Amino acid sequence: MNITAIAFDFGMKSIGCAVGQSITGTAQALPAFKAQDGIPNWDAIAKCLQEWKPDVVVVGLPLNMDGTEQELTLRARKFANRLNGRFGMKVMLQDERLTTTEARSEIFERGGFRALKKGKVDGISACLILESWFDNHPDF
């Protein structure tokens, strides 16, 4: 069974987004959503969800390296709960430790410092979150 999934890399100023298919286990970055103090333009998010019609939404959970939660972890959980409440979608959380670091090194390998634009990092982070979610949920 092939499912479509959308992943969000939650941030206070920018929320990265990616879409992918379980059949390939890969994701492609979509444009990041601007956020003000962690609050996105919900209409833009609704438009994205209507366009892609995902079977599941994955939200990256920013944990400290030792696995403990931080302020941003609570904000990401709140964002996930709002997605579920507003759109009635199945929302899963995915540990995102190291995805931003991986995204930065991947972009750097492809295009050097000039390529390290914040929106690009967020989009690739969202791809990595989604791909790691596919890896951890092969039966979904």
Side-chain angles (χ1 to χ4, degrees):
M1 180 176 105
N2 184 35
I3 63 152
T4 299
I6 281 192
F8 291 105
D9 177 29
F10 178 80
M12 297 302 285
K13 293 187 177 125
S14 178
I15 298 172
C17 187
V19 65
Q21 307 286 322
S22 62
I23 200 162
T24 60
T26 58
Q28 69 181 49
L30 297 174
F33 295 95
K34 292 207 180 317
Q36 281 193 302
D37 197 28
I39 300 165
N41 174 340
W42 287 108
D43 292 340
I45 295 217
K47 193 172 168 210
C48 175
L49 295 174
Q50 285 161 358
E51 182 180 339
W52 292 99
K53 296 179 181 34
D55 300 294
V56 65
V57 174
V58 179
V59 174
L61 199 59
L63 298 166
N64 292 318
M65 289 314 291
D66 64 2
T68 57
E69 298 202 353
Q70 53 180 306
E71 175 66 28
L72 199 58
T73 314
L74 302 175
R75 298 294 294 261
R77 283 186 190 281
K78 197 170 174 182
F79 174 72
N81 289 338
R82 287 206 176 124
L83 281 168
N84 174 266
R86 229 172 236 264
F87 305 110
M89 311 223 52
K90 183 176 183 68
V91 179
M92 311 285 285
L93 297 169
Q94 173 67 36
D95 180 349
E96 65 166 55
R97 281 176 282 183
L98 297 178
T99 53
T100 302
T101 312
E102 281 179 44
R104 285 182 192 283
S105 64
E106 193 169 306
I107 291 169
F108 188 74
E109 282 169 22
R110 291 181 190 179
F113 279 115
R114 267 184 242 116
L116 287 178
K117 292 190 178 73
K118 183 70 177 114
K120 270 206 165 77
V121 172
D122 292 338
I124 290 180
S125 292
C127 285
L128 294 168
I129 288 165
L130 190 50
E131 288 172 4
S132 66
W133 185 81
F134 283 138
D135 289 347
N136 291 316
H137 298 83
D139 310 331
F140 198 87

